Amino acid sequence: MNPSKASLHHLETRQLTLSYGSTPVILDLNLAIPPGKITVLVGANGCGKSTLLRGLARLLKPRSGAVYLDGTAIFKLPTKTVAQQLGILPQHPTAPEGLTVRELVVQGRYPYQNWWGARSREDEIAIENALDTCRMSELAERPLDSLSGGQRQRAWIAMALAQDTEILLLDEPTTFLDLAHQVEVLDLLSELHDSQERTIVMVLHDLNLACRYADCLVAIQRGQIYAQGAPERVMTEGMLRDVFGLESRIVPDPVAGTPMCIPLSRRVKAQTHSPT
């Protein structure tokens, strides 16, 4: 992908309903993903964030409505076409035991290879660029299962980058990582966005990190959009009360200036209102 070229692909849902069995998880949802921006989906456990991401990635067929890629229902597009425009990193990716970092990243080029699987010079360049971008070149021959959690996540992101899509979907890319590795991974994604203007959509649980890295925040409540827009508009005490059942105070992040949530426990509230 040309690093100087802004993302032109548009991803949106129209009246999208997704379900597992007969119970809808996402209901009549309309959402346009801002091209070339970082969009973060937030919400309480079970609200439908990961289900929505699976629907956007064409991994879950709609019960009604549709996901549209550049104006065409995504299930009507050839699989190879979708894979060349949209990449996904699932919540718990798995790889065969003993697979090296390079062998994993090579898998990102499968949508571009011919039926006998030969790799082109363009494939090799994309693989090396992805390894270099994710600072994994020196670890390329290491088995994936010998790496730290942060290194493994960078390897998976390198595979997604090798796919060379303008749209990246990531389901909780910081799960099970300590705070230092969470920031490392999110910094990497932010750098990719800044340098290549990729459209990035991800699910995050940490609301303060979500506000720090998101251009657009989408709060989901019981399968529908409660609010969307800039973090300053969406991250409110009212949203946290309605969506998460959490009493809180919102203050400016002293580092980034973005909204920062200070949760209030029952004990804190009791102390706040107790007589002196």
Side-chain angles (χ1 to χ4, degrees):
M1 186 173 69
N2 184 350
S4 64
K5 179 183 175 183
S7 175
L8 298 177
H9 291 302
H10 291 258
L11 188 64
E12 64 180 318
T13 72
R14 301 177 195 167
Q15 299 296 306
L16 179 68
T17 295
L18 300 169
S19 63
Y20 298 106
S22 60
T23 304
V25 180
I26 294 294
L27 184 62
D28 294 332
L29 188 142
N30 295 306
L31 175 65
I33 301 298
K37 303 293 184 181
I38 297 178
T39 296
V40 178
L41 309 178
V42 299
N45 290 340
C47 72
K49 304 182 300 294
S50 295
T51 299
L52 174 57
L53 207 71
R54 286 174 55 80
L56 291 173
R58 211 179 74 157
L59 298 177
L60 185 61
K61 192 169 185 177
R63 182 172 172 180
S64 63
V67 176
Y68 291 85
L69 181 61
D70 296 334
T72 301
I74 200 168
F75 267 92
K76 293 183 179 180
L77 293 169
T79 298
K80 194 168 185 177
T81 298
V82 174
Q84 291 176 356
Q85 298 176 5
L86 186 154
I88 183 168
L89 181 59
Q91 186 175 351
H92 302 296
T94 58
E97 186 176 353
L99 194 76
T100 68
V101 171
R102 184 180 299 279
E103 289 168 339
L104 175 69
V105 176
V106 164
Q107 294 183 11
R109 296 305 297 172
Y110 287 172
Y112 300 92
Q113 293 173 10
N114 50 37
W115 66 271
W116 62 86
R119 293 205 297 270
S120 66
R121 175 62 177 161
E122 184 178 4
D123 291 330
E124 297 295 345
I125 291 173
I127 291 165
E128 295 304 322
N129 285 344
L131 288 167
D132 181 63
T133 298
C134 294
R135 301 185 289 278
M136 295 300 292
S137 297
E138 294 184 0
L139 301 174
E141 309 311 323
R142 288 267 302 273
L144 193 66
D145 50 20
S146 72
L147 304 179
S148 70
Q151 290 170 334
R152 281 197 301 273
Q153 200 68 331
R154 294 209 319 264
W156 283 103
I157 292 171
M159 185 199 72
L161 290 185
Q163 196 172 332
D164 200 26
T165 62
E166 290 183 1
I167 302 173
L168 280 177
L169 309 177
L170 304 105
D171 192 357
E172 299 185 31
T174 58
T175 298
F176 303 131
L177 298 182
D178 60 38
L179 185 57
H181 285 118
Q182 289 180 46
V183 172
E184 177 187 3
V185 167
L186 293 173
D187 277 347
L188 171 61
L189 293 170
S190 182
E191 290 166 10
L192 288 171
H193 166 260
D194 291 343
S195 62
Q196 302 179 7
E197 296 186 85
R198 293 177 187 255
T199 299
I200 296 176
V201 184
M202 54 184 165
V203 173
L204 289 179
H205 274 297
D206 189 307
L207 296 175
N208 294 333
L209 289 178
C211 287
R212 184 176 287 193
Y213 288 93
D215 297 307
C216 177
L217 202 63
V218 179
I220 299 175
Q221 181 186 42
R222 294 191 291 273
Q224 296 182 312
I225 294 175
Y226 176 91
Q228 61 181 310
E232 292 76 11
R233 290 181 51 199
V234 176
M235 187 73 157
T236 66
E237 294 173 8
M239 184 276 285
L240 291 166
R241 186 181 304 114
D242 293 343
V243 173
F244 293 92
L246 177 68
E247 293 296 333
S248 64
R249 296 293 179 266
I250 301 297
V251 300
D253 184 317
V255 174
T258 50
M260 186 170 72
C261 168
I262 308 296
L264 300 180
S265 68
R266 289 186 177 88
R267 180 176 179 180
V268 169
K269 288 189 290 183
Q271 290 173 345
T272 300
H273 293 94
S274 62
T276 58

